[in-house]
Amino acid sequence: MATGPGLLKVCETFVACIIFVFVTDPVLYDRHDAPKYCMAVYCICFILSAAIILLCIGECTGCLPFPFPRFLSAYAMLAVVLYLSATIIWPIFNFDPRHGGNRDRPYSCSTESGLCSWDKRMAVALLTAINFILYLADLIYSTSLVFVNA
């Protein structure tokens, strides 16, 4: 886990945990099916990344019926595609007025204590973009390890 891809996996999982904190209170993904898709992306990638971390910590990567580095590259590619779609879809369905969103921060957010719903939606959009970049770096790093070492 002290390698580049290992640290990236830990960061990706941590960012997903922060996304879950912002998304669940109040529930920000129940208005349309597209934000539900984004939530599915966050859940799928979080579960797979956590499983990879546990496999590495438990030193069980050799027990798999396929080469672990190639699995990491394939998973990173899947995660990049999923997070790219979520990076595009989440802002469209949360900030575009045609889909019931607010482009500008509502005035009521200034009077509330803490973060309002719009602030949380913006935080999720930014964290989604950050996780996309982390997964892209992970893809580049893990793919270079597979093809350079092959």
Side-chain angles (χ1 to χ4, degrees):
M1 290 310 301
T3 64
L7 294 174
L8 284 169
K9 287 280 177 281
V10 171
C11 290
E12 294 157 2
T13 306
F14 180 72
V15 170
C17 289
I18 297 171
I19 288 173
F20 292 140
V21 169
F22 284 120
V23 138
T24 56
D25 186 36
V27 176
L28 300 179
Y29 57 90
D30 62 350
R31 293 186 305 167
H32 298 286
D33 287 336
K36 290 177 186 174
Y37 164 80
C38 294
M39 191 64 189
V41 167
Y42 306 144
C43 291
I44 291 167
C45 291
F46 171 77
I47 290 168
L48 290 174
S49 290
I52 289 169
I53 291 170
L54 291 175
L55 282 171
C56 290
I57 290 173
E59 297 180 2
C60 299
T61 58
C63 300
L64 299 174
F66 42 80
F68 190 66
R70 290 184 192 255
F71 168 72
L72 288 179
S73 293
Y75 167 63
M77 175 62 92
L78 173 69
V80 164
V81 170
L82 290 174
Y83 259 94
L84 176 62
S85 64
T87 301
I88 294 167
I89 291 171
W90 183 267
I92 289 173
F93 282 87
N94 281 285
F95 301 113
D96 190 348
R98 291 178 289 187
H99 299 286
N102 270 341
R103 193 174 308 243
D104 300 318
R105 187 172 187 253
Y107 177 75
S108 61
C109 286
S110 302
T111 59
E112 291 181 28
S113 62
L115 296 174
C116 68
S117 177
W118 191 91
D119 292 339
K120 291 178 182 181
R121 284 182 171 88
M122 180 59 74
V124 171
L126 292 173
L127 290 168
T128 302
I130 289 169
N131 235 6
F132 167 69
I133 292 168
L134 288 171
Y135 276 110
L136 185 61
D138 191 5
L139 174 64
I140 292 167
Y141 199 103
S142 63
T143 304
S144 69
L145 287 177
V146 168
F147 291 113
V148 170
N149 292 336

